[in-house]
Amino acid sequence: MNTRQQSKLIYSWYGKPLGSDRKLRTSQYKGILITSESSKTETCIQLGDFILVEGMNADQPYVAQLVDLYEDGAQHKRAVVHWFCRLEEIPQNKRKMLKREISAQEVFFDQVLGYDTDIAAETIIKSIMVIPLHLGEELPVITLNKEQTFYVKQSWDGKCFKVLSPDTFSKLKEANKTRGVVTNSSKASIPSDIFTPEKKETESVVRSATKPKKIDMGIESKHSSSKSSLSKERHSQRVANNDIKTPTARKKLELNSPTKSKGRLLGYEVLGLLDEDCDAIAPSEPSATKRKVKFTNDILGSPPKIRCSNDKSKSTSQSAEHHRRFSDTMRLSPYTKVKDFDDKDKNIQEKDDIPSLGGYQSSQSPVMTPRSRRTCVQKTSALIAEQISMLDQEDFLSDSDSSYSSSSEEEDDDDDDDVPCTPEKKTKSSRIFSTPKSSRKSAVHTPAKTQRKTPLKGTPRTPRNATPEIPRRIQVAQEPTSVLEEARLRLHVSAIPESLPCREEEFQDIYNFVESKLIDGTGGCMYISGVPGTGKTATVHEVIRCLEQAAENDEVPPFQFVEINGMKLTDPHQAYVQILEFLTGQKVTATHAAVLLAKLFSTPGPKRKTTVLIVDELDLLWTRKQNVMYNLFDWPTQRHSKLIILAIANTMDLPERIMMNRVASRLGLTRMSFQPYTYKQLQQIVSSRLKGVKAFEEDAVQLVSRKVAALSGDARRCLDICRRATEICEFARQKRAPEIVRMAHITEAIDEMFSSPYVNAIRNASLHEQIFLKAILAEFRRAGVEEATVQQIYHHHVALCRMEGLQSPTVSETMAICSRLGACRLLLVEASNKYLHMRVRLNLSQDDVMYALKEE
Amino acid sequence: VQKILRERFCHNCTAGKLFGMEQQYRHLLELLRRTTVHGESNSALVIGPRGSGKSTLLNHVLKDLREMEQVRENLLENPFLSGLLQTNDKVALKEITRQLQLENVVGDKVFGSFAENLAFLLEALRKGNRTSSCPILFVLDEFDLFVHHKNQTLLYNLFDISQSAQTPVTVIGLTCRQDILELLEKRVKSRFSHRQIYLMNSFDFKQYIKIFKKQLSLPAEFPDEPFAQKWNNNVQLLAEDKAVQDVLQQLFQHSKDLRSLQLLLMLAGSAVTVHHPLLTAADLQEASRQHSTDSKANIVHGLSVLEVCLIIAMKHLNEVYDGEPFNFQMVYNEFQKFIQRKAHSMYNFEKPVVMKAFEHLLQLELVQPLERPWARAQREFLLLRLLLDSRQIMEALQLYPNCPTDVKQWAASSLSWL
């Protein structure tokens, strides 16, 4: 396994150059040969073929048609392609325009301009099939090589979907035909010593016995499946080249991929992987056959799970999608029960074909709640009749493969309430389905494996599957009733105003910066500084919001937005993990994430969108070697990165102060600093928030603004004071008629927030505590040093007590007093093990103490 | 009776009403009510010296809050963290997730790395919004200890949530440090709403007496009614008694802390038996005496004459050299001088014996070595310091049983005998 992993793929031209351009020093070719050294496979891809191109995510290669192949002056092999786009690549909000369900296999003829069509030939993974269909047509059910076959029905030009024009349709069709010939010819060159095709072959033999019609399909799938493993191999090999050779990482990648490849290959691949793990190719055969036997058993026993009756809504679907889900629920439901159910099923069968069909149908709507799925099954039943004709007998294998999951699913559907899972868990699963979440995807691993491993009843769910959510409240939150409450709600820092007053200039600057970079498709950094509470983060978010709006209206190219906050990371290196999770949804370790990100940003991704990354609290990403910051700022300078970084921090001179030269130089000179708000600006902020609510006197607002501006210019503080003032006002109001916040209330609130607690604390201290403080002052005066030991103070204390005619305290009591004052931090004291020789210092000025004591 | 009182004093129960903190109480209650009813996020600090009733106040507010109808239905959860238990953010996070019963809790434990947990919790809190999620109340006891956590990550995140449109949370910190705000990092401080509720034991002596009465009197539902009446009358009389008032006055002058009052009453209350059913003024006086005795001077009473002599020698040395440290040899010389000139009753001990006595003093921590690594220097020449004040020594000597008169004279006559 390992040796094969590391084998190189060699790309060489097929045939002689067709023609060459002297000026550009390019020469064109009609095909490319991909040779894998160790497995001795050789594939030829010709012009017009459909190919998979490496994308951001190993599991989601791009689909394209090869238009041209050439070698440029620097001897780099280049390819010109025409893109197709998957559903996932279309923005969420545009998907609605389709108004129909899209299968995972459906792609769109891409007419969006602006994607780079010139790619490196090395990124080509393999050839595939893309079959053009008319809009009304149903997808032919070809279950075996789902992953390698795509369908085109419509084209997508960035704004709307269109039906394929007849000539593109015919072109595609033609391309497909020629391609069929090529694959057949290249098939001969595949030696059969790879185990995957071998297994396939045995299967297809079985199948061909039953239905000769499908035989060439089978062969084709064999061909492509061998390649699918090839592609995975290659991906991991790349990773390995980037020097992570940890087998675990690789394994993880591979384990992940089958879950995402929706389709029948799943079982086999997993099996294959398991075998590979064992590092024994020989045993793979027996186990494959064993598995096979199981299937045949199942074929005899179980396939049917649909009743044609009305409760069809309950029966369902063994789509890969569900398969995945059930691997989850299976952990809860007992294995044995499933078995029982199989037996029961034997009796009900008859209608063999429909179930898998229905299942397939629903697999086309990957994002669907179970409830809606049920209704949709009814819809599909209408389509079933049509499909039956195409279906022939529907290969048994698809049934058998999913028999586990399907029966278990029925089980689950039928006894939804009996299954020993708490209601909370159930709601959870439905929630998951309604919201497609990337983290979820990575959480689920090889279903087949877990199925077998955790058949126990009520196994506690692994924490990784948990959804982070706070329980919902039972009662709805009350809406504000009075003017003051309304005002308070608006004054809360969290309330997002429609626009940010007083930051128009900064907003425009940042907006222009990001917009220009977006349009150019280049990368860049910007450093934003300012004291806390001056609206840095708010402004940047506002910019992003505006840009997203603009992107929706196609004024700027679409982009991805990622945000990390230094304070919300436990360790600077976690930044990589979070960024990667945002971008691709993978969850890996920090070092691995760094490598993946570096690869992502340094290689030319043909269809990758620009990424806008906000790094909040930048100074916390500081490490001793500063490699996190270095990497972050290095990526945008790479040619293909398409990364825009907005770094936010408090200090203006952060780059000079803590960054090494090489980091600071990469950060560039685009800086912006947010000045603290002036009192006029603060006033404007408050009044803009209060627009339409008459709760504050004009003067009162001005007073707050002036006070805060003089102290810090922190808008948060300003809003907090106003909020507190409304509360005070409300207290006062209870006695009299409703009123608005006046100066007096504001003054009270300000006093409350800014008054020094010390004087008050001293005045309320007990008598001996006060005497002790006096003794400290006396001692300081005597010694002339602002530090004294308890022993010295004690002498003074006793003397003072004698003057006042009080009983003098014992040493223990004095120590207790001292430690009490120390706990309040009126005094600074040493560690208490020195007892009498403990040194004491005042934590406030002597004048304050005198003032506080004199008032008595 | 004893049981009731003991429960009251030991368990720090909330039986008593709140004294002199009605305003703070109203403020806090209003704050929490708004969080639960309106879903408004807030943060506040309750600051007051030890024993000023911070936790009592909070518990009262929470109890009353639960009795409100709207609130109870809203299912208020409150993770309670103490800075003494959750010593770092990692532990604190796990504890929060556990107490919130989020979905990654398996049994009673939380798995996963620190980073995962943080991301999970933040994600959980981010998902909510003002109107639909149920409000959460975070109580951070010993708030000052959370400040010392690395980067103040936990505080930043909690305050950040309370200042943004996420799940409504209220963060309440309890601390006794007056300078707490200066300890917060600037960006954390900016996110804190600066609501500070100060508790200062601001009552005077009359209220103190009232509290004393309230603490002692028996409740109406006491089974033996006549006895309860008798007891309560007695308490009333006690409160008016001059001797008792003196005792209380003295305590009051020392500290206004209610816990010290409870301690005093506990000591007095333990004297109550079947034969001695009512509390008397003498009991209180006795308790007060116990309460205020000097611990170090107590130790001196248990020393041998030789050891007392050594302490006196040290005292003289302290006077001669004005508090400079001394070593064993100096003390021994001083002691020798005393033996040779004045002592009539004292036997001239040999040096090893004196050394032994000296080491005993060291163990009792009546003397303390000046520097740590004392294996190096010879024991005789190790620099030491006396941890007793001369006044303490004199007082202790007065009480010392069977003290030889010449020793007493020696102690009193500091330099004159030379």
Side-chain angles (χ1 to χ4, degrees), chain B residues 70-115:
Chain B
Q70 294 165 312
V71 177
R72 201 170 340 121
E73 284 170 33
N74 274 343
L75 177 95
L76 181 93
E77 303 173 64
N78 52 334
F80 183 89
L81 306 178
S82 166
L84 292 171
L85 295 177
Q86 278 79 39
T87 49
N88 61 29
D89 282 347
K90 192 175 170 179
V91 183
L93 266 182
K94 284 194 174 181
E95 186 63 17
I96 291 175
T97 358
R98 196 185 64 74
Q99 292 191 10
L100 283 178
Q101 289 292 316
L102 293 182
E103 286 182 18
N104 61 346
V105 178
V106 179
D108 226 4
K109 292 195 180 72
V110 182
F111 297 106
S113 70
F114 182 27

Side-chain angles (χ1 to χ4, degrees), chain A residues 322-339:
Chain A
H322 297 140
H323 197 99
R324 224 199 275 165
R325 177 155 97 86
F326 286 123
S327 62
D328 248 19
T329 47
M330 268 302 282
R331 288 176 211 165
L332 300 170
S333 59
Y335 183 62
T336 48
K337 252 190 180 172
V338 179
K339 273 282 180 220

Side-chain angles (χ1 to χ4, degrees), chain A residues 424 428 431 437 460-461 463 466-480 485 488-489 492-494 496 532-533 565 567-570 574 578 617 619-620 650-651 714 716-717 720 723-724 727 730-731 752-755 757-758 760-761 763-769 791 794-795 798 802 806-807 809-813 817 820 823-826 833-837 843, chain B residues 26-27 30 34 36-42 49-50 70 73-74 77 100 102-104 106 111 114-115 118-120 122-125 127 130-136 150-151 153 156-157 160 162-165 167 176-179 182 185-196 198 200-202 250 252-256 292-296 368 385-389 391-392:
Chain A
E424 176 224 344
K428 179 199 133 213
R431 258 205 315 255
K437 267 202 313 147
R461 275 167 311 121
T467 25
E469 203 183 62
I470 301 294
R472 313 190 78 72
R473 61 189 291 156
I474 298 161
Q475 243 182 16
V476 266
Q478 261 181 23
E479 286 308 313
E485 277 174 14
R488 197 160 52 226
L489 195 64
H492 199 279
V493 182
S494 69
I496 301 162
N565 186 332
M567 267 295 200
K568 292 178 180 171
L569 302 171
T570 51
Q574 288 292 327
Q578 290 218 342
E617 314 291 359
D619 45 338
L620 286 166
N650 288 141
T651 34
D714 188 337
R716 289 197 189 104
R717 188 80 327 103
D720 278 333
R723 223 148 51 86
R724 179 73 190 120
E727 284 168 24
E730 209 168 343
F731 268 138
E752 206 170 277
M753 285 193 179
F754 293 116
S755 72
Y758 291 120
N760 223 341
R763 283 193 192 153
N764 284 313
S766 72
L767 188 62
H768 273 286
E769 282 163 359
Q791 193 168 18
Y794 176 68
H795 290 297
V798 172
R802 215 173 280 147
L806 294 167
Q807 200 181 348
T810 58
V811 176
S812 291
E813 282 167 338
I817 289 170
R820 265 205 302 277
C824 296
R825 286 299 186 279
L826 286 171
N833 62 356
K834 294 220 177 155
Y835 202 61
L836 271 180
H837 303 284
N843 197 22
Chain B
R26 273 223 313 272
H27 185 173
E30 183 64 16
R34 272 206 314 280
T36 48
V37 178
H38 295 279
E40 188 181 311
S41 294
N42 269 314
R50 297 209 180 278
Q70 294 165 312
E73 284 170 33
N74 274 343
E77 303 173 64
L100 283 178
L102 293 182
E103 286 182 18
N104 61 346
V106 179
F111 297 106
F114 182 27
L118 181 67
F120 183 86
L122 290 178
E123 179 65 25
L125 293 170
K127 273 188 162 180
R130 192 181 73 81
T131 44
S132 64
S133 324
C134 92
I136 302 170
K150 192 189 159 218
N151 284 346
T153 310
Y156 176 90
N157 286 316
D160 197 40
S162 80
Q163 297 250 314
S164 53
T167 308
C176 63
R177 288 183 67 160
Q178 309 278 351
D179 61 344
E182 285 148 42
E185 211 196 333
K186 58 182 185 301
R187 50 193 146 208
V188 181
K189 195 175 167 183
S190 164
R191 281 169 174 78
F192 169 59
S193 75
H194 282 243
R195 275 163 208 278
Q196 299 152 57
Y198 288 104
M200 306 280 173
N201 296 312
S202 52
Q250 210 180 357
F252 179 71
Q253 280 169 355
H254 272 124
S255 78
K256 289 176 166 180
S292 62
T293 43
D294 193 330
S295 56
K296 291 269 174 185
Q368 196 178 40
R385 210 165 229 180
L386 183 61
L387 289 186
L388 290 170
D389 194 50
R391 195 184 311 272
Q392 269 177 298

Side-chain angles (χ1 to χ4, degrees), chain A residues 422-582:
Chain A
T422 63
E424 176 224 344
K425 282 168 191 165
K426 238 169 39 196
T427 52
K428 179 199 133 213
S429 70
S430 69
R431 258 205 315 255
I432 287 161
F433 259 67
S434 57
T435 55
K437 267 202 313 147
S438 54
S439 65
R440 170 126 181 102
K441 271 188 186 160
S442 57
V444 184
H445 284 275
T446 54
K449 228 172 150 186
T450 35
Q451 222 165 317
R452 256 171 270 152
K453 263 187 186 167
T454 53
L456 283 176
K457 191 171 185 168
T459 312
R461 275 167 311 121
T462 43
R464 43 177 35 197
N465 292 347
T467 25
E469 203 183 62
I470 301 294
R472 313 190 78 72
R473 61 189 291 156
I474 298 161
Q475 243 182 16
V476 266
Q478 261 181 23
E479 286 308 313
T481 48
S482 74
V483 180
L484 282 175
E485 277 174 14
E486 173 72 32
R488 197 160 52 226
L489 195 64
R490 291 203 198 178
L491 283 173
H492 199 279
V493 182
S494 69
I496 301 162
E498 294 94 52
S499 70
L500 293 167
C502 315
R503 286 290 177 227
E504 289 86 7
E505 219 171 278
E506 284 86 355
F507 174 83
Q508 206 52 47
D509 280 358
I510 300 174
Y511 188 89
N512 289 345
F513 174 81
V514 179
E515 193 188 30
S516 65
K517 297 282 178 194
L518 273 180
I519 290 170
D520 295 351
T522 53
C525 290
M526 185 174 204
Y527 177 73
I528 299 168
S529 64
V531 292
T534 46
K536 300 178 295 295
T537 313
T539 310
V540 171
H541 276 134
E542 186 75 12
V543 168
I544 297 295
R545 228 180 359 254
C546 283
L547 282 170
E548 266 167 358
Q549 206 121 45
E552 235 168 74
N553 302 334
D554 295 308
E555 284 155 20
V556 294
F559 64 94
Q560 270 179 308
F561 160 54
V562 180
E563 188 191 9
I564 56 171
N565 186 332
M567 267 295 200
K568 292 178 180 171
L569 302 171
T570 51
D571 175 79
H573 295 282
Q574 288 292 327
Y576 299 131
V577 180
Q578 290 218 342
I579 296 173
L580 192 71
E581 206 187 323
F582 270 120

Side-chain angles (χ1 to χ4, degrees), chain B residues 272-288:
Chain B
V272 175
T273 55
V274 183
H275 306 294
H276 181 69
L278 295 179
L279 215 56
T280 62
D283 286 339
L284 279 173
Q285 270 169 336
E286 171 68 23
S288 147

Side-chain angles (χ1 to χ4, degrees), chain A residues 587-611:
Chain A
K587 241 184 189 169
V588 291
T589 58
T591 40
H592 189 191
V595 173
L596 286 179
L597 280 174
K599 177 179 166 254
L600 185 70
F601 288 124
S602 56
T603 52
K607 282 168 78 181
R608 197 148 51 73
K609 290 184 208 158
T610 306
T611 310

Side-chain angles (χ1 to χ4, degrees), chain A residues 523 601-602 608-609 611 635-643:
Chain A
F601 288 124
S602 56
R608 197 148 51 73
K609 290 184 208 158
T611 310
W635 291 330
T637 58
Q638 312 245 330
R639 201 157 67 86
H640 305 288
S641 63
K642 288 185 172 180
L643 177 69

